[in-house]
Amino acid sequence: MTKQTRLIPSLLAATALSVAAMPTQAGSSTDEAVKAQLQDYKATMQAFGKTLKGELQAAMKAGGPMAAVQVCNERAPEIVADLSAESGYTLRRTSLKPRATEPTDWEREVLEDFEKRKADGTPVAEIAWHEVKKVDGEKQLRFMKAIATEGVCLTCHGQDVDPKLKAEIDRMYPNDQAIGFEEGDIRGAVSITAALDD
Ligand code: HEC
């Protein structure tokens, strides 16, 4: 939906002309574009959370944590890839204590800021961030939202993970750092980036 203008170069050219003719409007039109695209990001993120949690809970019920860990291992990256392909956005899940996905430098800075905001008393559910950044001449919209550790996460990310399960996790992720969490901790964040469609 947000990609339509890319397919219609003549419309894009017309828009550029009309923007040039209205010198004072540029700022507010960017604000509107950011707002609309963030709305889309949040919908994509919710779709991800809902799909993964549904599959995780079903696997947990059917086969316990040893089956559920396969879902996280195989399906989480697939769901991320599918949603990225569908939306055209770059979607990632990362953490200061990663299991699979190390943060980039800017993601690490944002995650560190999230920890400060939590320490200052901001509820994890409200911790999010975005910025518009020019990268290689392209205006990008970067967005991150904190993911809270819930009770069900502790089976695989908590303080006393079952040794057999931990051995399986270590086999899959020899550099695993994603254990020792408590309920309410920031487990990590979803990060979404794409060109800003303004
Ligand atoms: C059955 C085990 C299991 C459970 C339960 C589980 N996870 Fe994970 N988690 C994993 C595995 C395995 C990965 C690595 C996935 C991959 O390869 O992308 C992972 C990765 C992640 C990541 C990506 C960042 C990183 O560390 O690489 C986040 C964020 C995350 N989990 C959050 C959660 C949250 C929040 C919950 C609870 C709602 C949860 N997990 C429950 C096994 C689990």
Side-chain angles (χ1 to χ4, degrees):
M1 165 182 62
T2 55
K3 299 278 152 351
Q4 272 171 0
T5 49
R6 290 205 185 130
L7 305 174
I8 312 169
S10 59
L11 183 66
L12 200 66
T15 311
L17 278 177
S18 64
V19 168
M22 292 187 294
T24 57
Q25 295 300 308
S28 63
S29 77
T30 299
D31 289 350
E32 286 306 308
V34 167
K35 220 194 247 172
Q37 198 160 318
L38 283 177
Q39 211 62 32
D40 237 41
Y41 280 7
K42 283 172 193 163
T44 306
M45 202 185 70
Q46 272 160 9
F48 170 74
K50 210 172 138 199
T51 308
L52 181 61
K53 237 187 208 172
E55 293 193 21
L56 183 64
Q57 276 162 353
M60 202 78 128
K61 224 182 204 171
M66 292 299 266
V69 80
Q70 303 298 332
V71 167
C72 293
N73 172 238
E74 287 165 21
R75 287 292 294 146
E78 278 172 15
I79 298 166
V80 165
D82 286 352
L83 281 171
S84 294
E86 266 170 42
S87 62
Y89 304 147
T90 302
L91 190 78
R92 286 162 50 85
R93 275 196 320 164
T94 186
S95 171
L96 288 175
K97 286 171 65 182
R99 176 155 292 165
T101 313
E102 289 274 348
T104 63
D105 289 346
W106 66 266
E107 283 172 338
R108 182 180 301 280
E109 274 176 36
V110 174
L111 283 163
E112 281 165 357
D113 181 59
F114 281 4
E115 290 294 345
K116 279 193 207 124
R117 284 162 71 181
K118 178 176 177 284
D120 288 343
T122 310
V124 175
E126 289 171 18
I127 299 180
W129 164 95
H130 71 270
E131 77 170 3
V132 176
K133 175 101 180 165
K134 251 210 168 137
V135 182
D136 300 331
E138 179 188 68
K139 236 196 251 176
Q140 292 191 341
L141 178 59
R142 293 170 166 180
F143 168 75
M144 284 178 78
K145 187 170 192 320
I147 303 169
T149 309
E150 298 167 37
V152 334
C153 319
L154 300 180
T155 309
C156 300
H157 295 296
Q159 295 192 321
D160 49 355
V161 176
D162 175 77
K164 208 170 137 222
L165 179 61
K166 182 59 181 135
E168 179 63 4
I169 291 171
D170 284 344
R171 191 186 61 76
M172 294 167 164
Y173 307 93
N175 301 316
D176 181 35
Q177 298 177 54
I179 55 159
F181 288 88
E182 289 181 53
E183 207 171 331
D185 283 347
I186 297 176
R187 177 53 269 275
V190 171
S191 152
I192 305 183
T193 308
L196 178 63
D197 239 356
D198 67 344

